[in-house]
Coordinates of all heavy atoms in Angstrom, one line a residue:
A93 N 96.6 14.9 -56.2 CA 97.8 15.6 -55.8 C 98.3 15.3 -54.4 O 98.9 16.2 -53.7 CB 97.6 17.1 -56.0
A94 N 98.1 14.1 -53.9 CA 98.7 13.6 -52.7 C 99.1 12.2 -52.8 O 98.6 11.5 -53.7 CB 97.8 13.8 -51.5
F95 N 100.0 11.6 -52.0 CA 100.5 10.3 -52.1 C 99.4 9.2 -52.0 O 99.5 8.1 -52.4 CB 101.6 10.0 -51.2 CG 101.1 9.6 -49.8 CD1 100.9 8.3 -49.4 CD2 100.8 10.6 -48.8 CE1 100.5 7.9 -48.2 CE2 100.4 10.2 -47.6 CZ 100.2 8.9 -47.2
K96 N 98.2 9.6 -51.4 CA 97.2 8.7 -51.1 C 96.6 8.1 -52.4 O 95.9 7.1 -52.4 CB 96.1 9.3 -50.2 CG 96.6 9.5 -48.8 CD 95.5 9.8 -47.9 CE 96.0 9.9 -46.4 NZ 96.8 11.1 -46.2
G125 N 90.3 15.1 -45.0 CA 90.9 15.8 -46.1 C 91.3 15.0 -47.3 O 90.4 14.6 -48.1
D126 N 92.5 14.5 -47.3 CA 93.1 13.9 -48.5 C 92.6 12.5 -48.8 O 92.4 12.2 -50.0 CB 94.6 13.9 -48.4 CG 95.2 15.2 -48.5 OD1 94.6 16.1 -49.1 OD2 96.4 15.4 -48.0
T127 N 92.3 11.7 -47.8 CA 91.9 10.3 -48.1 C 90.6 10.3 -48.9 O 90.5 9.6 -49.9 CB 91.6 9.6 -46.8 OG1 92.8 9.5 -46.1 CG2 91.1 8.2 -47.0
S203 N 93.0 3.8 -44.0 CA 94.4 3.6 -44.3 C 95.0 2.3 -43.6 O 96.1 2.0 -43.8 CB 95.2 4.8 -43.8 OG 95.2 4.9 -42.4
R208 N 95.8 -0.7 -49.4 CA 96.4 0.6 -49.6 C 97.8 0.6 -49.1 O 98.7 1.3 -49.7 CB 95.6 1.7 -48.8 CG 94.4 2.1 -49.5 CD 93.6 3.2 -48.7 NE 94.4 4.4 -48.3 CZ 94.0 5.3 -47.5 NH1 92.8 5.3 -47.0 NH2 94.8 6.3 -47.3
Q212 N 102.1 1.0 -51.4 CA 102.9 2.1 -51.1 C 104.4 1.8 -51.1 O 105.3 2.6 -51.1 CB 102.4 2.8 -49.8 CG 101.1 3.5 -50.0 CD 100.5 4.1 -48.7 OE1 99.5 4.8 -48.8 NE2 101.1 3.8 -47.6
V235 N 110.1 10.0 -43.7 CA 108.7 9.9 -44.1 C 107.9 10.7 -43.1 O 107.8 10.4 -42.0 CB 108.3 8.5 -44.2 CG1 106.9 8.4 -44.7 CG2 109.2 7.6 -45.0
P236 N 107.2 11.8 -43.6 CA 106.3 12.5 -42.8 C 105.1 11.6 -42.6 O 104.6 11.0 -43.5 CB 105.9 13.7 -43.7 CG 106.9 13.8 -44.8 CD 107.4 12.4 -45.0
T237 N 104.6 11.5 -41.4 CA 103.6 10.5 -41.1 C 102.6 10.9 -40.1 O 102.9 11.8 -39.2 CB 104.3 9.1 -40.8 OG1 103.4 8.1 -41.2 CG2 104.6 9.0 -39.4
G238 N 101.4 10.3 -40.1 CA 100.4 10.6 -39.2 C 99.9 9.3 -38.6 O 100.1 8.9 -37.4
N239 N 99.2 8.5 -39.4 CA 98.7 7.2 -39.0 C 99.8 6.1 -39.2 O 99.5 5.0 -39.0 CB 97.4 6.8 -39.8 CG 96.2 7.3 -39.1 OD1 96.1 7.2 -37.9 ND2 95.2 7.8 -39.9
L240 N 100.9 6.5 -39.7 CA 102.0 5.6 -39.9 C 101.9 4.7 -41.1 O 102.7 3.8 -41.3 CB 102.2 4.7 -38.6 CG 103.6 4.1 -38.3 CD1 104.6 5.2 -38.3 CD2 103.6 3.4 -37.0
G241 N 100.9 5.0 -41.9 CA 100.7 4.1 -43.1 C 101.9 4.2 -44.1 O 102.5 3.2 -44.5
N242 N 102.2 5.5 -44.4 CA 103.3 5.7 -45.4 C 104.7 5.2 -44.9 O 105.4 4.6 -45.6 CB 103.3 7.2 -45.8 CG 103.9 7.4 -47.1 OD1 104.2 6.5 -47.9 ND2 104.1 8.7 -47.5
A243 N 105.0 5.6 -43.6 CA 106.2 5.2 -43.0 C 106.3 3.6 -42.9 O 107.4 3.0 -43.1 CB 106.4 5.8 -41.7
A290 N 96.9 16.9 -42.3 CA 96.6 15.5 -42.7 C 97.4 14.5 -41.8 O 97.3 13.3 -41.9 CB 97.0 15.2 -44.1
M291 N 98.3 15.1 -40.9 CA 99.0 14.3 -40.0 C 98.6 14.5 -38.5 O 99.3 14.2 -37.6 CB 100.5 14.5 -40.1 CG 101.0 14.3 -41.6 SD 102.8 14.3 -41.9 CE 103.5 15.3 -40.6
V293 N 97.2 13.4 -35.9 CA 96.7 12.1 -35.4 C 97.4 11.9 -34.0 O 98.6 11.9 -33.9 CB 97.2 10.9 -36.3 CG1 96.7 9.6 -35.8 CG2 96.6 11.2 -37.7
N298 N 98.2 2.6 -37.3 CA 99.1 1.5 -37.7 C 100.1 1.1 -36.6 O 101.1 0.3 -36.9 CB 99.8 1.7 -39.0 CG 98.9 1.5 -40.2 OD1 98.3 0.4 -40.4 ND2 98.6 2.6 -40.9
C339 N 104.9 21.4 -49.3 CA 103.6 21.5 -48.5 C 104.0 21.3 -47.0 O 105.2 20.9 -46.7 CB 102.7 20.3 -48.9 SG 102.9 18.8 -48.1
H341 N 103.3 19.2 -44.8 CA 103.7 17.8 -44.4 C 105.1 17.5 -44.8 O 105.9 17.0 -43.9 CB 102.7 16.8 -44.9 CG 101.3 17.3 -44.8 ND1 100.7 18.1 -45.6 CD2 100.4 17.0 -43.8 CE1 99.4 18.4 -45.2 NE2 99.2 17.7 -44.1
T342 N 105.4 17.8 -46.0 CA 106.8 17.6 -46.5 C 107.8 18.4 -45.7 O 108.9 17.9 -45.4 CB 106.8 18.0 -48.0 OG1 105.8 17.3 -48.7 CG2 108.2 17.7 -48.6
T369 N 104.7 14.5 -49.6 CA 103.4 13.7 -49.6 C 102.3 14.4 -50.3 O 101.3 13.8 -50.7 CB 103.0 13.4 -48.2 OG1 103.0 14.6 -47.4 CG2 104.0 12.4 -47.6
A370 N 102.4 15.8 -50.5 CA 101.3 16.5 -51.2 C 101.8 17.6 -52.0 O 102.9 18.1 -51.7 CB 100.2 17.0 -50.2
H371 N 101.1 18.0 -53.0 CA 101.5 19.2 -53.8 C 101.2 20.5 -53.0 O 100.2 20.6 -52.3 CB 100.6 19.3 -55.1 CG 101.1 20.2 -56.1 ND1 101.0 21.6 -56.0 CD2 101.8 20.0 -57.3 CE1 101.6 22.1 -57.0 NE2 102.1 21.2 -57.8
K374 N 97.9 22.4 -52.8 CA 96.7 22.0 -52.0 C 96.6 22.8 -50.6 O 95.6 22.8 -50.0 CB 96.9 20.5 -51.6 CG 96.4 19.5 -52.7 CD 96.2 18.1 -52.1 CE 94.8 17.7 -52.2 NZ 94.6 16.2 -52.0
F375 N 97.7 23.4 -50.3 CA 97.8 24.1 -49.0 C 98.3 25.5 -49.2 O 99.1 26.0 -48.5 CB 98.7 23.3 -48.0 CG 98.2 21.9 -47.8 CD1 98.7 20.9 -48.6 CD2 97.3 21.6 -46.8 CE1 98.2 19.6 -48.4 CE2 96.8 20.4 -46.7 CZ 97.2 19.3 -47.4
Ligands
PLP530 C1 97.6 11.3 -45.2 C2 98.7 12.2 -45.3 C3 99.9 12.1 -44.5 C4 100.0 11.0 -43.5 O1 100.1 9.7 -44.0 P1 100.0 8.5 -43.1 O2 99.9 7.3 -44.0 O3 98.9 8.6 -42.2 O4 101.3 8.5 -42.3 C5 101.0 12.9 -44.8 N1 100.9 13.9 -45.7 C6 99.8 14.1 -46.5 C7 99.7 15.2 -47.5 C8 98.7 13.2 -46.3 O5 97.6 13.4 -47.0

Side-chain angles (χ1 to χ4, degrees):
F95 81 93
K96 291 193 175 74
D126 290 334
T127 297
S203 72
R208 281 181 54 187
Q212 292 175 171
V235 186
T237 209
N239 271 320
L240 203 55
N242 204 8
M291 304 189 336
V293 179
N298 281 301
C339 88
H341 312 84
T342 308
T369 54
H371 194 286
K374 277 195 117 167
F375 302 93

